[in-house]
Amino acid sequence: MTDMSQPAYVRRALVEPEPPPLPGGDALTWTRARLFDGVFNTVLTIVSGVLIVVVVWPAVKFLLIDAVWTGSSRADCLPETVGREVGACWPFVRAKFAQFMYGFYPASEHWRVNLTYALGATLLVPLLVPRAPHKALNAILFFGAFPVVAFFLLVGGLFGLPHVETRLWGGLLVTLVISFTGIIFSLPLGIVLALGRRSELPIVRTASIVFIEFWRGVPLITVLFFATYMLPFFLPGHWKIDGLLRVLIGVVLFAGAYMAEVVRGGLQAMPRGQYEAAMALGLGYWRIMGFVILPQALRLVIPGIVNSFIALFKDTTLVLIVAIFDLLGQLRAAFADPAWATPVTLFTGFAFAGMIYFLVSFGMSRYALSMERRLNTGRPR
Amino acid sequence: MSDGGQGKGAGGSTRHIVLDMRTTENEIAIEIIGLDKWFGSFHVLRGVDLKVMRGERVVICGPSGSGKSTLLRCINRIEDWQRGRVIVDGMELTEDLKKIDEVRREVGMVFQQFNLFPHLTVLDNCTLAPIWVRKLPKKEADEVARHFLERVRIPEQADKYPAQLSGGQQQRVAIARALCMQPKIMLFDEPTSALDPEMVKEVLDTMVGLALDGMTMVVVSHEMGFARQVANRMVLMDAGQIIEMNEPEAFFNHPRHERTKLFLSQILH
């Protein structure tokens, strides 16, 4: 019921907009509001605090405070010699650094690996910085020319460069080669498979489904194992495919199948109206996909794509089982060296590898986040 | 531009503008013969026949689910059908993809939900098809786009993204985007149904301007004021069939079919 005693109301003056009140207060108010607001939040704050102390403090103590920084042999990292509790044994990492980075790549040829890294970085950094000019040319150089140049630089056998067998490759080099190849080939493959799976042509669709389901149905370890040990039996005797290449192909096909499903998710999220509007303008299938659907669909699934990239990067460690020694493989090999056998060698090595994996993965994740934000220009929240 | 002033005037005193009801030429623009379509087992179009002359403006109305949008979407074959023929601009639409693309180049379409491409600026929305379908050089396509954005009276929004515009502005961009292909026929699928009431007029004004220029238009709409003002012919559809078709004057004032009387009484209050 309306309250009849309320008189009619007519606004006489319009209220001008004001700036919002400042979020305020001193440190104490802030602390109380953010950390100790109610029983539950107080308990959460305390538990989190305890966790931080329990986890972070020993880590800092091990990695930095108690760590041994200089030395030339295992003796320098033994508590008996040092005369105190010993944390990380960094001289071990320094001594094995070349092995971690290059594997058994000949020391005289290390410059080729470094040059490849430098080339890659010079092309990648401007590609990642939104403001840098000539994006198209940059992308062509990085995705098209760089892999070819890198291939000849690393493999050699041309232009007077001695041939270096891939059996000698190892460490971070192998990790990066596998991840980079996997990343730049799995995305296009995934896009093609996703489009194929949604195609109206029955043969294309069936082939895509079979391909995707097959590669998703087998574990990566099986794929690697098969590619390395079984495939030679099926190929004619004179056929020899390089061991690393076989692994690379396996990884790309495997990652491509996963990528296809991520991309398909994005395609399915696109409203029908976008297809219809593009069709009504007379655009053909490839232009509709290339200019209208894929740019939006891929944007939607950036988190999923990056998720797959990170998973792929970490899955490269599985190549160890087919006797390819990536970063983790070289690490394990180095543990076996009696010259550096100390109680802390294992922890130091894993801490070092963990930091590298974390830096790369976290870097990808943060970059993807910033890209998502940038691409959202002009879209409603 | 001749329509700018007239368009505004038209909006101000909607009922008084009388358009030339004769069509400019005696040429058939669209011919639909015995069209039947099913969605699954649902018979959505039941033997529809419709002929639209060049320069004619046909407004289709009818209750929801009557098949009017589906009929419209058959004209550029965004929907296909099971039986019947559709001939647009002298070309019969068949399975032949080349023919379909050729027809779509000549037929612009405006949707209820605008369907602008959200990742492209207004200008890029307008130049995409002219560049890739009409093969215009980028510079020329830009000029064409700016010309038509001017015409729908939002030239200043060219570099914004669709989400930064109001609904009415978005729909006007959608109209400009279709016009940039310089089509011979324009199809409108409930162009004002998704708009706030305050924005309906700006879109209708734009459409009146187009009508004044002699564009062949097929419009699915319930804007009866607009229909009275621009239509040469009114079509009422129900249950997948054309129930009544007549000149607007007779259609509104002396509807003959009971269904038409009921429908008009419900929407004209």
Side-chain angles (χ1 to χ4, degrees), chain A residues 80-93:
Chain A
E80 300 89 82
T81 340
V82 184
R84 63 174 167 86
E85 213 181 318
V86 169
C89 178
W90 295 122
F92 162 70
V93 172

Side-chain angles (χ1 to χ4, degrees), chain A residues 266-320:
Chain A
L267 292 175
Q268 257 157 358
M270 291 302 299
R272 239 177 95 76
Q274 292 289 308
Y275 291 93
E276 288 173 357
M279 265 158 56
L281 285 168
L283 293 163
Y285 175 82
W286 293 107
R287 300 218 163 106
I288 294 179
M289 288 303 161
F291 293 127
V292 177
I293 302 300
L294 280 175
Q296 298 184 65
L298 291 180
R299 199 170 294 194
L300 282 174
V301 292
I302 288 175
I305 292 175
V306 174
N307 207 21
S308 297
F309 284 171
I310 291 175
L312 171 63
F313 177 66
K314 293 191 296 187
D315 276 352
T316 56
T317 51
L318 290 175
V319 297
L320 183 59

Side-chain angles (χ1 to χ4, degrees), chain B residues 9 12 45 62 67 76 103 115 156 160 168 187 218 238 264:
Chain B
L45 293 177
N76 60 358
V103 166
N115 293 348
E156 70 285 356
K160 289 195 180 162
L187 309 176
V218 182
D238 191 22
L264 289 176

Side-chain angles (χ1 to χ4, degrees), chain A residues 270-285 287-288 290-293 295-296 299 377-380, chain B residues 73 76-79 101 104-105 107 109 111 115-120 125 128-129 132-133 135 161 163-164 177-178 181:
Chain A
M270 291 302 299
R272 239 177 95 76
Q274 292 289 308
Y275 291 93
E276 288 173 357
M279 265 158 56
L281 285 168
L283 293 163
Y285 175 82
R287 300 218 163 106
I288 294 179
F291 293 127
V292 177
I293 302 300
Q296 298 184 65
R299 199 170 294 194
T377 331
R379 302 191 101 202
Chain B
R73 292 148 63 88
N76 60 358
R77 212 176 156 104
I78 285 187
E79 300 280 358
D101 281 342
R104 283 177 183 163
R105 243 173 278 162
V107 179
M109 189 166 199
F111 299 84
N115 293 348
L116 293 174
F117 307 133
H119 62 301
L120 300 177
N125 262 279
L128 182 67
W132 293 103
V133 181
K135 312 283 182 204
Y161 286 90
Q164 292 167 298
R177 177 176 71 177
M181 284 294 284

